[in-house]
Amino acid sequence: VEIVLLLSFLNARTARATAQLALARQDRLVRGLAQRDALLQEARQDLARALDVAGVGRFSDTSVGSFQLGNVIGRGAMGEVYEAFHAQTRKEAAVKLLHAHSLRERGVVKRFVREAKMAASLDTPNVVRVLEVGGLEREGDLPYIAMERLRGEDLAERLRRQGRMEMVEVVAMLVQVGRGLMAARAAGIVHRD
């Protein structure tokens, strides 16, 4: 009886260890599949966004303030961002304009104007620099914010390329973001994005 109990115990222990290994392997596979699904979904969203941006916008090849507008480089809930260059200096810029439907909503225009004025008041290397704000003088003018044109990759692109970031990189990035948020807070701006 004792030998049978001992063999049963050893058999159960081996079965338990095998089951734990199988569960750990399954957990790794499920996590890997979930990560791939998330990356695929993100890639689909990026593709949809890229197809939506698709170059030419309704204000492409026109002038706004001191800037000549080019292709659309981004779209959001409130408006579009165009690549641009200064008419005299030919320096690159990014110009944000409101959507046509947003121009009809007084509250949205007021928020855009407030955003433009607050962004122009910030002077820190951690926040995009505002070059010019205009279209606010007369009723019916097209409000715009001209900002420095930045090039690089966003966090999603970096994570797709690299997979993971080292802790030192994450801390350095968070310090830079924190400095930008502190400058905004010192100016009385509440960042909502």
Coordinates of all heavy atoms in Angstrom, one line a residue, residues 122-188:
L122 N 4.2 79.8 -24.6 CA 5.2 78.8 -24.0 C 6.5 79.0 -24.8 O 6.5 79.1 -26.0 CB 4.7 77.4 -24.2 CG 3.5 77.0 -23.3 CD1 3.0 75.6 -23.7 CD2 3.8 77.1 -21.9
D123 N 7.6 79.0 -24.0 CA 8.9 79.1 -24.6 C 9.8 78.1 -23.9 O 10.5 78.4 -23.0 CB 9.4 80.5 -24.5 CG 10.8 80.7 -25.2 OD1 11.0 79.9 -26.2 OD2 11.6 81.5 -24.9
T124 N 9.7 76.8 -24.4 CA 10.5 75.8 -23.8 C 10.9 74.8 -24.9 O 10.1 74.6 -25.9 CB 9.8 75.0 -22.7 OG1 10.5 73.9 -22.2 CG2 8.4 74.5 -23.1
P125 N 12.0 74.2 -24.9 CA 12.4 73.2 -25.9 C 11.6 71.9 -25.9 O 11.7 71.1 -26.8 CB 13.9 72.9 -25.7 CG 14.1 73.3 -24.3 CD 13.1 74.4 -23.9
N126 N 10.8 71.7 -24.9 CA 10.0 70.5 -24.7 C 8.6 70.6 -25.3 O 7.8 69.7 -25.3 CB 9.9 70.1 -23.3 CG 11.3 70.1 -22.6 OD1 11.7 71.1 -22.0 ND2 12.0 69.0 -22.8
V127 N 8.3 71.8 -25.9 CA 6.9 72.0 -26.5 C 7.2 72.6 -27.8 O 8.0 73.5 -28.0 CB 6.1 72.9 -25.6 CG1 4.7 73.2 -26.3 CG2 5.9 72.3 -24.2
V128 N 6.4 72.2 -28.8 CA 6.6 72.7 -30.2 C 6.4 74.3 -30.1 O 5.6 74.8 -29.4 CB 5.5 72.1 -31.2 CG1 4.1 72.5 -30.8 CG2 5.9 72.4 -32.6
R129 N 7.3 74.9 -30.8 CA 7.4 76.4 -30.8 C 6.4 77.0 -31.8 O 6.3 76.5 -33.0 CB 8.8 76.9 -31.2 CG 9.0 78.3 -31.0 CD 10.5 78.7 -31.1 NE 11.2 77.9 -32.1 CZ 11.5 78.4 -33.3 NH1 11.1 79.6 -33.6 NH2 12.1 77.7 -34.2
V130 N 5.6 77.9 -31.4 CA 4.6 78.6 -32.2 C 5.3 79.8 -32.9 O 5.9 80.6 -32.3 CB 3.4 79.1 -31.4 CG1 2.5 79.9 -32.3 CG2 2.7 77.9 -30.8
L131 N 5.2 79.8 -34.3 CA 5.9 80.8 -35.0 C 4.9 82.0 -35.3 O 5.4 83.2 -35.3 CB 6.3 80.3 -36.4 CG 7.2 79.0 -36.3 CD1 7.4 78.5 -37.7 CD2 8.5 79.4 -35.6
E132 N 3.7 81.7 -35.5 CA 2.7 82.8 -35.9 C 1.3 82.3 -35.6 O 1.0 81.2 -35.8 CB 2.9 83.1 -37.3 CG 2.1 84.3 -37.8 CD 2.4 84.6 -39.3 OE1 3.6 84.9 -39.6 OE2 1.5 84.5 -40.1
V133 N 0.5 83.2 -35.1 CA -0.9 83.0 -34.9 C -1.7 84.0 -35.7 O -1.3 85.2 -35.6 CB -1.3 83.0 -33.4 CG1 -2.8 82.8 -33.2 CG2 -0.5 82.0 -32.6
G134 N -2.7 83.7 -36.4 CA -3.4 84.7 -37.2 C -4.8 84.3 -37.5 O -5.3 83.2 -37.1
G135 N -5.5 85.2 -38.3 CA -6.8 84.9 -38.7 C -7.8 85.2 -37.5 O -9.0 84.7 -37.6
L136 N -7.4 85.9 -36.5 CA -8.2 86.1 -35.3 C -8.7 87.6 -35.3 O -9.6 87.9 -34.5 CB -7.4 85.9 -34.1 CG -6.6 84.6 -34.0 CD1 -5.8 84.5 -32.7 CD2 -7.5 83.4 -34.1
E137 N -8.3 88.4 -36.2 CA -8.5 89.8 -36.2 C -10.0 90.1 -36.6 O -10.7 90.9 -35.9 CB -7.6 90.6 -37.1 CG -6.1 90.5 -36.8 CD -5.5 89.1 -37.2 OE1 -6.0 88.6 -38.2 OE2 -4.6 88.7 -36.5
R138 N -10.5 89.6 -37.7 CA -11.8 89.9 -38.2 C -12.7 88.7 -38.2 O -12.2 87.5 -38.4 CB -11.7 90.5 -39.6 CG -11.0 91.8 -39.7 CD -11.0 92.3 -41.1 NE -10.6 91.3 -42.1 CZ -9.4 91.4 -42.7 NH1 -8.6 92.4 -42.6 NH2 -9.1 90.5 -43.6
E139 N -14.0 88.9 -38.1 CA -14.9 87.8 -38.2 C -14.9 87.3 -39.6 O -14.8 88.1 -40.6 CB -16.4 88.4 -37.9 CG -17.4 87.4 -37.8 CD -17.4 86.6 -36.6 OE1 -16.9 87.1 -35.5 OE2 -17.8 85.4 -36.6
G140 N -14.9 86.0 -39.8 CA -14.8 85.4 -41.1 C -13.4 85.1 -41.6 O -13.2 84.3 -42.6
D141 N -12.4 85.6 -40.9 CA -11.0 85.2 -41.2 C -10.8 83.7 -40.9 O -11.5 83.2 -40.0 CB -10.0 86.0 -40.5 CG -9.8 87.4 -41.1 OD1 -10.4 87.6 -42.2 OD2 -9.1 88.3 -40.6
L142 N -9.8 83.1 -41.5 CA -9.5 81.7 -41.2 C -8.4 81.6 -40.1 O -7.3 82.0 -40.3 CB -9.0 81.0 -42.5 CG -8.7 79.5 -42.4 CD1 -10.0 78.8 -42.1 CD2 -8.1 79.1 -43.7
P143 N -8.8 81.2 -38.9 CA -7.8 81.1 -37.8 C -6.8 80.0 -38.1 O -7.1 79.0 -38.6 CB -8.6 80.8 -36.6 CG -10.1 80.8 -37.0 CD -10.1 80.8 -38.4
Y144 N -5.5 80.3 -37.7 CA -4.5 79.3 -37.9 C -3.4 79.5 -36.9 O -3.2 80.5 -36.3 CB -3.8 79.5 -39.3 CG -3.1 80.8 -39.5 CD1 -1.7 80.8 -39.3 CD2 -3.7 81.9 -40.0 CE1 -1.0 82.0 -39.5 CE2 -3.0 83.1 -40.1 CZ -1.6 83.1 -39.9 OH -0.9 84.3 -40.0
I145 N -2.7 78.4 -36.7 CA -1.5 78.4 -35.8 C -0.3 77.8 -36.7 O -0.4 76.7 -37.2 CB -1.7 77.5 -34.6 CG1 -2.9 77.8 -33.8 CG2 -0.4 77.5 -33.7 CD1 -3.2 76.8 -32.7
A146 N 0.7 78.6 -36.8 CA 1.9 78.2 -37.6 C 3.0 77.8 -36.5 O 3.3 78.6 -35.6 CB 2.5 79.3 -38.5
M147 N 3.4 76.5 -36.6 CA 4.4 76.0 -35.7 C 5.6 75.5 -36.4 O 5.6 75.3 -37.6 CB 3.7 74.8 -34.9 CG 2.5 75.1 -34.2 SD 1.5 73.6 -33.8 CE 0.8 73.3 -35.3
E148 N 6.7 75.3 -35.6 CA 7.9 74.8 -36.2 C 7.6 73.4 -36.7 O 6.8 72.7 -36.1 CB 9.0 74.7 -35.1 CG 8.8 73.8 -34.0 CD 9.9 73.8 -33.0 OE1 11.1 73.8 -33.4 OE2 9.7 73.8 -31.8
R149 N 8.2 73.0 -37.8 CA 8.0 71.7 -38.4 C 9.0 70.7 -37.8 O 10.2 70.9 -37.9 CB 8.2 71.8 -39.9 CG 8.1 70.4 -40.6 CD 6.7 69.9 -40.7 NE 6.6 69.0 -41.9 CZ 6.5 67.7 -41.7 NH1 6.7 67.1 -40.5 NH2 6.4 66.9 -42.8
L150 N 8.5 69.7 -37.1 CA 9.4 68.7 -36.4 C 9.3 67.4 -37.2 O 8.3 67.1 -37.8 CB 8.9 68.5 -35.0 CG 8.9 69.7 -34.1 CD1 8.3 69.3 -32.7 CD2 10.3 70.2 -33.9
R151 N 10.4 66.8 -37.3 CA 10.5 65.5 -38.0 C 11.1 64.5 -37.0 O 11.9 64.8 -36.2 CB 11.4 65.6 -39.2 CG 10.9 66.5 -40.2 CD 11.6 66.5 -41.5 NE 11.2 67.4 -42.5 CZ 10.1 67.3 -43.3 NH1 9.5 66.1 -43.3 NH2 9.8 68.2 -44.1
G152 N 10.6 63.3 -37.2 CA 11.0 62.2 -36.3 C 10.0 61.1 -36.3 O 9.2 61.0 -37.2
E153 N 10.0 60.3 -35.2 CA 9.1 59.2 -35.1 C 8.3 59.4 -33.8 O 8.8 59.9 -32.8 CB 9.8 57.9 -35.1 CG 10.7 57.6 -34.0 CD 11.5 56.3 -34.1 OE1 11.1 55.4 -35.0 OE2 12.4 56.1 -33.4
D154 N 7.1 58.9 -33.8 CA 6.3 59.0 -32.6 C 6.6 57.7 -31.8 O 7.3 56.8 -32.2 CB 4.8 59.2 -32.8 CG 4.1 58.1 -33.6 OD1 4.7 56.9 -33.6 OD2 3.1 58.4 -34.2
L155 N 6.0 57.6 -30.6 CA 6.3 56.5 -29.7 C 5.8 55.2 -30.3 O 6.5 54.2 -30.2 CB 5.6 56.7 -28.3 CG 5.8 55.7 -27.3 CD1 7.3 55.5 -27.0 CD2 5.1 56.0 -26.0
A156 N 4.6 55.2 -30.9 CA 4.1 53.9 -31.5 C 5.1 53.4 -32.6 O 5.4 52.2 -32.7 CB 2.8 54.2 -32.1
E157 N 5.6 54.3 -33.4 CA 6.6 53.9 -34.5 C 7.8 53.3 -33.8 O 8.4 52.3 -34.3 CB 7.0 55.1 -35.4 CG 5.9 55.5 -36.3 CD 6.2 56.9 -37.0 OE1 6.9 57.7 -36.4 OE2 5.7 57.0 -38.1
R158 N 8.3 54.0 -32.8 CA 9.5 53.5 -32.1 C 9.3 52.1 -31.5 O 10.2 51.3 -31.6 CB 9.9 54.5 -31.1 CG 11.2 54.1 -30.4 CD 11.8 55.3 -29.7 NE 13.2 55.0 -29.3 CZ 13.9 55.8 -28.6 NH1 13.4 57.0 -28.3 NH2 15.1 55.5 -28.3
L159 N 8.2 51.9 -30.9 CA 7.9 50.6 -30.3 C 7.8 49.5 -31.3 O 8.2 48.4 -31.1 CB 6.7 50.7 -29.4 CG 6.9 51.5 -28.1 CD1 5.6 51.6 -27.3 CD2 7.9 50.9 -27.2
R160 N 7.2 49.9 -32.4 CA 7.1 48.9 -33.5 C 8.5 48.5 -34.0 O 8.7 47.3 -34.3 CB 6.2 49.4 -34.7 CG 4.7 49.1 -34.5 CD 4.0 49.4 -35.8 NE 4.1 50.7 -36.3 CZ 3.4 51.8 -35.9 NH1 2.4 51.6 -35.0 NH2 3.6 52.9 -36.4
R161 N 9.3 49.5 -34.2 CA 10.6 49.3 -34.7 C 11.5 48.5 -33.7 O 12.3 47.6 -34.1 CB 11.3 50.6 -35.1 CG 12.7 50.5 -35.6 CD 13.3 51.9 -36.0 NE 13.2 52.9 -35.0 CZ 14.0 53.1 -34.0 NH1 14.9 52.2 -33.8 NH2 13.8 54.1 -33.1
Q162 N 11.4 48.9 -32.5 CA 12.4 48.4 -31.5 C 11.8 47.3 -30.6 O 12.5 46.6 -30.0 CB 12.7 49.7 -30.6 CG 13.9 49.6 -29.8 CD 14.2 51.0 -29.2 OE1 14.3 52.0 -29.9 NE2 14.3 51.0 -27.9
G163 N 10.5 47.3 -30.5 CA 9.8 46.3 -29.6 C 9.7 46.7 -28.2 O 8.6 46.9 -27.7
R164 N 10.8 47.0 -27.5 CA 10.8 47.4 -26.1 C 11.8 48.6 -26.0 O 12.8 48.6 -26.8 CB 11.3 46.3 -25.2 CG 10.2 45.3 -24.9 CD 10.8 44.3 -23.9 NE 10.9 44.8 -22.6 CZ 10.5 44.2 -21.5 NH1 9.9 43.1 -21.7 NH2 10.6 44.8 -20.3
M165 N 11.6 49.4 -25.0 CA 12.6 50.5 -24.8 C 13.3 50.1 -23.5 O 12.6 49.6 -22.5 CB 11.9 51.8 -24.6 CG 11.3 52.3 -25.9 SD 10.4 53.9 -25.7 CE 11.6 55.0 -25.2
E166 N 14.5 50.5 -23.4 CA 15.3 50.3 -22.2 C 14.8 51.3 -21.1 O 14.3 52.4 -21.4 CB 16.8 50.5 -22.4 CG 17.4 49.5 -23.4 CD 17.4 48.1 -22.8 OE1 17.6 47.9 -21.6 OE2 17.2 47.2 -23.6
M167 N 14.9 50.9 -19.9 CA 14.4 51.8 -18.8 C 15.0 53.1 -18.8 O 14.4 54.2 -18.6 CB 14.7 51.1 -17.4 CG 14.1 51.9 -16.2 SD 12.3 52.1 -16.3 CE 11.7 50.4 -16.1
V168 N 16.3 53.2 -19.2 CA 17.0 54.5 -19.2 C 16.3 55.4 -20.3 O 16.1 56.6 -20.1 CB 18.5 54.3 -19.6 CG1 19.2 55.6 -19.8 CG2 19.2 53.5 -18.5
E169 N 16.0 54.8 -21.4 CA 15.3 55.6 -22.5 C 13.9 56.1 -22.1 O 13.5 57.2 -22.3 CB 15.1 54.7 -23.8 CG 16.4 54.3 -24.5 CD 16.1 53.4 -25.6 OE1 15.6 52.3 -25.4 OE2 16.4 53.8 -26.8
V170 N 13.2 55.2 -21.4 CA 11.8 55.5 -20.9 C 11.9 56.7 -19.9 O 11.2 57.7 -20.0 CB 11.1 54.3 -20.2 CG1 9.8 54.7 -19.6 CG2 10.9 53.2 -21.3
V171 N 12.9 56.6 -19.0 CA 13.0 57.7 -18.0 C 13.4 59.0 -18.6 O 12.9 60.0 -18.3 CB 14.1 57.3 -16.9 CG1 14.4 58.4 -16.0 CG2 13.5 56.1 -16.1
A172 N 14.3 58.9 -19.6 CA 14.8 60.2 -20.3 C 13.6 60.8 -21.0 O 13.4 62.0 -21.0 CB 15.9 59.8 -21.3
M173 N 12.8 59.9 -21.7 CA 11.6 60.4 -22.4 C 10.6 61.1 -21.4 O 10.1 62.2 -21.7 CB 10.9 59.3 -23.2 CG 9.7 59.7 -23.9 SD 8.8 58.3 -24.7 CE 8.3 57.4 -23.2
L174 N 10.3 60.4 -20.3 CA 9.4 60.9 -19.3 C 9.9 62.2 -18.7 O 9.0 63.1 -18.4 CB 9.1 59.9 -18.3 CG 8.3 58.7 -18.8 CD1 8.1 57.6 -17.7 CD2 6.9 59.1 -19.3
V175 N 11.1 62.4 -18.5 CA 11.7 63.6 -18.0 C 11.4 64.8 -19.0 O 11.0 65.9 -18.6 CB 13.2 63.5 -17.8 CG1 13.9 64.9 -17.5 CG2 13.5 62.6 -16.5
Q176 N 11.6 64.5 -20.3 CA 11.3 65.5 -21.3 C 9.8 65.9 -21.4 O 9.5 67.1 -21.4 CB 11.8 65.1 -22.7 CG 13.3 64.8 -22.8 CD 14.1 66.1 -22.5 OE1 13.8 67.1 -23.0 NE2 15.2 65.9 -21.8
V177 N 9.0 64.9 -21.3 CA 7.5 65.1 -21.3 C 7.1 65.9 -20.1 O 6.4 66.9 -20.1 CB 6.8 63.8 -21.4 CG1 5.3 64.0 -21.2 CG2 7.0 63.1 -22.8
G178 N 7.7 65.5 -19.0 CA 7.4 66.2 -17.7 C 7.8 67.7 -17.7 O 7.1 68.5 -17.2
R179 N 8.9 68.0 -18.3 CA 9.4 69.4 -18.4 C 8.4 70.2 -19.3 O 8.1 71.3 -18.9 CB 10.8 69.4 -19.0 CG 11.8 69.0 -18.0 CD 13.2 69.1 -18.6 NE 14.2 68.6 -17.6 CZ 15.4 68.2 -17.9 NH1 15.8 68.1 -19.2 NH2 16.2 67.7 -17.0
G180 N 7.9 69.6 -20.4 CA 6.9 70.3 -21.2 C 5.6 70.5 -20.4 O 5.1 71.6 -20.5
L181 N 5.2 69.5 -19.7 CA 3.9 69.6 -18.9 C 4.1 70.7 -17.8 O 3.2 71.4 -17.4 CB 3.5 68.3 -18.4 CG 3.0 67.3 -19.4 CD1 2.7 65.9 -18.8 CD2 1.7 67.8 -20.1
M182 N 5.3 70.7 -17.2 CA 5.6 71.7 -16.1 C 5.5 73.1 -16.6 O 5.0 74.0 -16.0 CB 6.9 71.4 -15.4 CG 6.8 70.2 -14.4 SD 8.4 69.7 -13.7 CE 9.1 71.2 -13.2
A183 N 6.1 73.3 -17.8 CA 6.1 74.6 -18.5 C 4.6 75.0 -18.8 O 4.3 76.2 -18.6 CB 6.9 74.6 -19.7
A184 N 3.8 74.1 -19.3 CA 2.4 74.4 -19.5 C 1.7 74.7 -18.2 O 0.9 75.6 -18.2 CB 1.8 73.2 -20.2
R185 N 2.0 73.9 -17.2 CA 1.3 74.2 -15.9 C 1.7 75.5 -15.4 O 0.8 76.3 -14.8 CB 1.6 73.1 -14.9 CG 0.9 73.2 -13.6 CD 1.2 72.0 -12.7 NE 0.4 72.1 -11.5 CZ 0.8 72.5 -10.3 NH1 2.1 72.8 -10.2 NH2 0.1 72.5 -9.3
A186 N 3.0 75.9 -15.5 CA 3.4 77.2 -15.0 C 2.7 78.3 -15.7 O 2.5 79.4 -15.2 CB 4.9 77.3 -15.1
A187 N 2.4 78.1 -17.0 CA 1.7 79.1 -17.8 C 0.2 79.1 -17.6 O -0.6 79.9 -18.2 CB 2.0 78.9 -19.3
G188 N -0.3 78.2 -16.7 CA -1.7 78.1 -16.4 C -2.5 77.3 -17.5 O -3.7 77.4 -17.6

